[in-house]
Amino acid sequence: RILLTTVLDQQRENVKGIAITVQDITREVELNEAKSQFISNVSHELRTPLFNIKSFIETLHDYGEELSVDQRQEFLATVNHEADRLARLVNDVLDLSRLESGRRYNLDAVDLGQAIEQTLRTYQLNAKDKGIEIIQEVEPKLPLVVGHYDLLLQVLANLVGNALKFTKAGGKVAIRAYKLTPHSHKSDRPDRVRVEISDTGIGIAPEDQKAIFDRFFRVENRVHTLEGTGLGLSIVRNIIEDKHHSKVHLVSEVGVGTTFWFDLAVFEEETAVPEKLTV
Ligand code: ADP
């Protein structure tokens, strides 16, 4: 975008010249494109379960009497399953748009041990069903961190959920939290706690590792049919990077497993000034 501005002299009477400002609007254009892409993806993703629900209901309505009880049950189970998928999608889209709306989230002292405990409680049964062992290693006397409890629960749930989803029976999922040893030469930086979620699952190929944080991106593979919206990691990235000013990292090897990790600042009493803790 090029802006032409006439430059007037001090008394704003005589035109002294013309200023040319070249403004890079690439980012603006890119953001708009990303937004339309997102809307078109959301519509597409919503259409599939809706279409399935509608066609199964139509079949039940038109031919229900000709079907056996078992067949009818099967149809209803599919409709129910598709409705769940729709609900998950809508929830994830709403979560993401709320996170991106610019709303303020107040950060506070968070007990990560408690958040991890709470997350694992909801996944224990799922892991048992799948024959996956969950390993929990939270350092004793782990300090409190600066964070948003509910948002961090969501991060943990998405990462543990993925780890379980992409790991086969007999595999392991580990969640660790420990304080990093402070570097004396970087004493101005607050102490940090590291949280790691690792699995012995299918792994992520190097060429896919960057894209997995993109909305709706799902690695094309045989597990593609597994439940998921492709929004989980976008939500994780927004919460860790945007709301906690940190970064999500991963190391992964196909067929060996994946580890996601992020650091959070240790909560110090003197940082408990509301405006410092507000993002
Ligand atoms: P989804 O709802 O599909 O899990 P996510 O945004 O959470 O969406 O993840 C995007 C994609 O990244 C997944 O579909 C999968 O291909 C890949 N992925 C995420 N976590 C793992 C993991 N722990 N192991 C292997 N692949 C993973």
Side-chain angles (χ1 to χ4, degrees):
R1 183 190 285 167
I2 299 176
L3 297 174
L4 289 179
T5 324
T6 45
V7 181
L8 302 173
D9 69 9
Q10 294 254 304
Q11 286 77 42
R12 292 186 157 266
E13 277 166 4
N14 306 316
V15 175
K16 280 176 79 182
I18 291 174
I20 300 176
T21 322
V22 181
Q23 201 180 353
D24 184 6
I25 57 158
T26 324
R27 175 102 188 108
E28 217 173 296
V29 171
E30 271 173 13
L31 279 177
N32 274 333
E33 274 168 13
K35 223 180 273 173
S36 347
Q37 188 63 44
F38 182 61
I39 290 169
S40 121
N41 284 347
V42 170
S43 322
H44 176 79
E45 297 282 331
L46 292 177
R47 211 177 298 159
T48 316
L50 262 180
F51 174 82
N52 291 342
I53 290 172
K54 207 167 150 41
S55 35
F56 275 100
I57 287 180
E58 260 169 22
T59 313
L60 275 172
H61 179 264
D62 296 345
Y63 306 102
E65 276 159 24
E66 295 163 31
L67 299 171
S68 69
V69 176
D70 282 354
Q71 279 171 323
R72 277 206 297 268
Q73 285 299 330
E74 209 177 295
F75 270 44
L76 286 173
T78 310
V79 169
N80 196 23
H81 180 83
E82 291 297 304
D84 282 346
R85 189 167 142 204
L86 204 54
R88 246 190 327 262
L89 256 170
V90 171
N91 277 338
D92 277 358
V93 168
L94 284 178
D95 281 347
L96 196 58
S97 69
R98 203 175 304 130
L99 285 167
E100 291 182 349
S101 69
R103 183 191 139 176
R104 291 166 83 84
Y105 289 86
N106 291 330
L107 303 188
D108 210 338
V110 170
D111 179 349
L112 269 177
Q114 186 192 339
I116 290 171
E117 213 31 76
Q118 189 172 340
T119 307
L120 293 186
R121 224 176 293 139
T122 54
Y123 281 106
Q124 215 74 55
L125 211 65
N126 178 299
K128 213 170 157 208
D129 278 353
K130 279 198 74 181
I132 296 171
E133 185 191 349
I134 294 192
I135 300 160
Q136 182 183 353
E137 284 177 14
V138 176
E139 192 179 82
K141 299 209 183 87
L142 188 75
L144 298 173
V145 295
V146 180
H148 189 286
Y149 190 80
D150 289 340
L151 292 184
L152 289 175
L153 272 187
Q154 199 169 356
V155 165
L156 294 172
N158 288 357
L159 293 177
V160 172
N162 276 348
L164 288 170
K165 193 159 58 179
F166 298 106
T167 300
K168 295 191 198 80
K172 290 187 173 90
V173 166
I175 178 156
R176 298 191 175 86
Y178 53 92
K179 187 165 173 242
L180 294 173
T181 330
H183 294 287
S184 50
H185 59 283
K186 281 185 182 164
S187 52
D188 53 321
R189 270 184 61 193
D191 290 351
R192 301 179 83 77
V193 166
R194 178 155 296 178
V195 182
E196 288 176 5
I197 291 96
S198 1
D199 62 62
T200 59
I202 60 168
I204 304 162
E207 62 272 23
D208 293 323
Q209 290 184 11
K210 215 168 156 294
I212 52 161
F213 290 99
D214 293 345
R215 294 144 161 192
F216 296 115
F217 181 87
R218 305 183 69 203
V219 175
E220 285 294 338
N221 53 31
R222 63 207 135 73
V223 281
H224 194 78
T225 46
L226 284 175
E227 294 310 330
T229 60
L231 291 176
L233 287 177
S234 312
I235 292 173
V236 166
R237 185 169 62 180
N238 181 297
I239 294 176
I240 296 300
E241 297 191 357
D242 206 56
K243 310 295 181 280
H244 291 83
H245 312 294
S246 188
K247 216 166 156 33
V248 188
H249 304 264
L250 84 135
V251 275
S252 187
E253 201 179 321
V254 173
V256 178
T258 306
T259 299
F260 284 91
W261 86 87
F262 56 88
D263 297 341
L264 295 168
V266 166
F267 181 86
E268 313 276 358
E269 279 308 322
E270 60 268 29
T271 51
V273 183
E275 49 281 18
K276 266 199 190 166
L277 294 177
T278 305
V279 289

